[in-house]
Amino acid sequence: MVYWLLSSFVSATLQVLLEKLTDFGIKTTQSISDVDDKLQKLRRTLMSVESSIRDAEETTPTNMAWQVLLLDLEKLAYEADDLIDDIAYKVSKLEGGQAKNKNQVNKLLLSLYKHTSAAPNMNNIQSKLDGMLKELESLCVRERSNVRHLEKVASKLQTSSLIDESQVYGRETDKMNIVNMLVASGESSRGGSVSIIPIVGMIGVGKTTLAQLVYNHNYQEFPEVSFNLKMWVSITKDFDVMRLTRCIIEAATRESTSHLLNLDSLQIRLTEILQGNKFLLVLDDLWNVKKNEWNLLLKPLNHGLRGSKIVVTTGSTLVSSLVGTAEPYDLKCLSDQACFSLLMDEALGDINLHTTTPELEEIGMEIARKCKGLPLAAKIVGSLLHSKEDQNEWNNLLDSRIWDSSVIKNEIVPALRSGYHRLPSHVRQCFAYCSMFPQNYDFEKIKLVRMWMGEGFIIPDKERTMIEETGNDYFDQLSQKSFFQMEGEKYMIHDAVHNLSQAVSCEKFFRMEETDDLIVTHTRHLSLVCEKIHTVAAEVASTCKGLRTFLLLGAYKTPIKEVPLALFMELGSLRVLDLSGTQVEELAESIGNLKHLRFLDLSNTLLKWLPETMQELCLLQTLRLRNCLELLYLPKRISRLRSLQHLELDGSYHLTSMPSGIGKLTGLQTVSEFIIGPENGQMKELKHMNNIRGSLRIRQLEKVKNVQDALEAKLGNKKYLDKLELQWKRTVGSVDRRADEHVLDKLVTCPLKNLKELTLSGYGGTMFPKWVCDPLLTKLTAICFDECKNCGLLPPLGQLPQLKSLKIVGMHELKTMDQVFQKLERLELRDMPELEGWVGVQDNDMSFLRELTIDDCPQMRTLPSLHYFRSLEKMEFESCPLLPSLSEERLSNSSKSLIIRKCLMLKERCEEDEGEDWLKIEHIPYIEINYKIVREL
């Protein structure tokens, strides 16, 4: 175990415990001074312990006493946390049941300090902490007498501008892209004479190598912009203006700056050096910087000649956005072929495979693919194969668990560790948590942050009202520093970074992939990616009774159909339980034993119901039931879950109603779906749920017959909503048009000023209420009318100031659309059997429109000339047989794609070379007519 990493985790654990003690004391001890005094004493002791640990992180204590003390401290912190949790749980049960009994609550609080040898209490914990603090202070004094600083950031080697280009592969295009940015004319967009180009990418991807290639390029081929002064500065420590200014002067002149004793003299000297020079400066590996410090550093640098450039390499997108005056260059991983070339160069040098060992070529390519495009990994793996020409040795490496290799860990992890050291201790713990997930796992930001919340990893920020916002900030820090890479809407971790997370997890976080993997007693967070769950569960339950996380990642192995009872009976300290993606059909009632549980994910399972004992989970914050296609109903007493903040129900379409009393959960922030049942007054449940934010879908609105019920929902008070979807479920002959109109009109009685997206689906009325197009909806950017079949008139949506996307599907009575949408970027019209035309648009009325789709509009004859839309890029027309023409003139050069299907008249006019409109569209790069690609450039 790496014990300086453990100290980081213990420090983070204590910080969270301190905040919990403070919050607990404020909420519950106002009338019990003795308890308050003791809580304050415990808090002061914890602060002293936490401070001593942080001081000790500046050294590398290696003696066994220090290591044992850290483990004991962590164990004691968990005991204190569980003890406070027990009291919080009991108080929550009292509040969630009958009216709060103050005397009962006071007795619970006093029991914290009741003298007993049968169970841990705050007196015992205080006594143990006092002894540990003395021991910790004594150890720290001894370590300082023989201090060896852990150079968290400075330990990394300095880089230089020198490079052997013959050993670089796959970066020629990247080099020329940066070179072209450097030699391009133009000044800084932010003022000053110097332009700044950031190169951004994860650690080990080759940012420094690319900067070296750019630095050493022969700029004489560009005489008008050739740099007559070049400087390379490797940033090995945190940002310091005075130190960096010295480094820049020394890089420019090779002279000592020891006689320059203050920043003023340094900046005056640098200004003298740069005047009259067009310079290129590389600042390699800039991770942290504040705006005011950066501006101070730039003052003398802006005295160079116009055309001077600064190249900054960084792993932080935040830094790149702060310092860059040009678009950041996002450096991607190498191709497999480039990785192969680099690996083979390291392994065999000048040996020609074709003439010596051609059989190694195929094996080498497979090994290169495992490097996932990371040059650092290819170099290290290549060095392991250096001068080895035995095919068996190569096969052994190919077949081994390459990223678990201790040799590779010893090489790769130190190279990546500098970025990890720069993270705050609480964010390091959140990163180590990711080691429990398999390689190539798709991380969902919202889910991961809510798991961190459940674990208690997030330290409340007094400037934020929501702890989740702080958790999002933790995630963004990791993403900005390239620990996460975004793929679509999901996030992934590169294999090498995943390897780093395992190396720093300190056995506290453990992923079990084989049934013979050894679980240690101090493991607190566990994921199972193995088949024999029942065998493993028994061992887990007996070995790790203090387990706080249990992730059953069934999607990665044989799906699990039953959860072993031992998990619910023995693991009473669990905070996070994830059973999503399994084939679990039923939960045992003993799940009610998990009284500490904060996060429960049952998404994508076969559950039909949840046991009523769920009401015992008084501290549960997040309940995920996404895509539970068999789920029929929720627990009747879900209103007892007073701590519940997030109830995620998307895709659970067999739910027929919400349980009575759910409106008491006024702390709910996420209610992704609210299903109206047959009982009267269900809409009233929404009345006081004003903390709902994000997305809300209300289903089965056809069951609301009483206008008063619609008013009772008070949707206008849901000021945090940004996405609202209202659904009516229709059967033939069931539409009550007047009822639908009255209900929709009264659902929103004042503007939802933060609303960004609105969807009305299955609405049976003949007209829309005024609130739908209220100009006060200044943030509304997207509207979808789906299957509103009886509406024959479109509301004046053009008066919505920020509407960018409009989708209308199945509005069967609409005959004419005569509106202009000034900011609209995307328009989609489908299944409109009576629509004859879109009129009223003049040249350049809608200059932002980029996408236009018209499908299944058999009567449509009139369309604005498409040349009016100067930004139009994508056009698709299908099943519009009467549409005679697209445009009076040649379409804009912005056009990129035109698709025409089942539109007889358009097909004839747009025939290649022969059609009347061909000359108007021939410049479009992609043209498809009746599923045949006519042009593809």
Side-chain angles (χ1 to χ4, degrees), residues 321 377 489 492 648 838:
S321 64
E489 294 185 357
M492 298 187 71
E648 303 180 43
W838 176 20

Side-chain angles (χ1 to χ4, degrees), residues 516-740:
D516 57 354
D517 285 346
L518 183 63
I519 306 174
V520 295
T521 55
H522 51 261
T523 293
R524 297 285 178 171
H525 309 278
L526 176 70
S527 68
L528 294 188
V529 195
C530 56
E531 296 182 21
K532 299 180 180 179
I533 174 65
H534 289 275
T535 303
V536 174
E539 181 185 353
V540 169
S542 62
T543 305
C544 304
K545 293 186 181 296
L547 207 64
R548 294 192 162 212
T549 306
F550 186 81
L551 312 181
L552 187 56
L553 300 176
Y556 289 84
K557 289 285 184 180
T558 302
I560 306 303
K561 294 185 178 181
E562 184 181 355
V563 182
L565 286 175
L567 296 181
F568 299 154
M569 299 299 293
E570 302 293 337
L571 302 181
S573 293
L574 279 183
R575 264 65 172 175
V576 170
L577 176 62
D578 187 354
L579 304 176
S580 62
T582 64
Q583 291 189 5
V584 171
E585 297 180 0
E586 187 176 352
L587 284 183
E589 292 192 353
S590 54
I591 193 173
N593 293 338
L594 305 182
K595 60 185 179 181
H596 296 288
L597 201 64
R598 263 43 175 223
F599 178 98
L600 177 60
D601 193 351
L602 302 169
S603 302
N604 298 292
T605 60
L606 302 179
L607 289 167
K608 293 183 179 179
W609 55 78
L610 300 175
E612 288 300 323
T613 52
M614 288 280 292
Q615 66 176 300
E616 300 296 322
L617 306 181
C618 297
L619 301 180
L620 192 66
Q621 298 169 343
T622 300
L623 177 58
R624 289 171 59 97
L625 296 164
R626 292 175 175 268
N627 297 312
C628 290
L629 302 181
E630 304 297 323
L631 190 66
L632 299 175
Y633 52 84
L634 296 172
K636 294 178 183 178
R637 297 181 180 178
I638 198 172
S639 60
R640 297 282 184 93
L641 305 183
R642 291 301 181 91
S643 300
L644 197 62
Q645 299 175 28
H646 305 288
L647 178 60
E648 303 180 43
L649 297 169
D650 308 61
S652 300
Y653 292 118
H654 281 156
L655 273 177
T656 55
S657 67
M658 304 303 283
S660 177
I662 194 172
K664 295 177 182 178
L665 302 181
T666 55
L668 273 175
Q669 298 166 19
T670 302
V671 188
S672 50
E673 295 198 354
F674 193 94
I675 303 99
I676 308 299
E679 301 86 359
N680 291 329
Q682 281 218 321
M683 290 294 288
K684 188 187 295 185
E685 299 281 1
L686 285 166
K687 183 174 183 179
H688 298 295
M689 299 173 73
N690 293 329
N691 284 308
I692 296 176
R693 60 196 68 220
S695 172
L696 172 63
R697 179 188 293 122
I698 304 179
R699 287 169 39 200
Q700 301 183 170
L701 277 163
E702 73 279 359
K703 297 186 183 297
V704 182
K705 301 299 182 183
N706 189 327
V707 172
Q708 188 60 33
D709 282 353
L711 283 168
E712 290 279 9
K714 299 288 183 183
L715 286 188
N717 293 343
K718 314 296 186 274
K719 60 183 179 179
Y720 302 115
L721 271 184
D722 57 37
K723 183 177 180 181
L724 177 63
E725 183 173 349
L726 304 175
Q727 283 188 1
W728 288 256
K729 186 178 180 181
R730 293 302 178 200
T731 56
V732 177
S734 68
V735 179
D736 185 339
R737 300 184 183 189
R738 297 290 293 172
D740 282 8

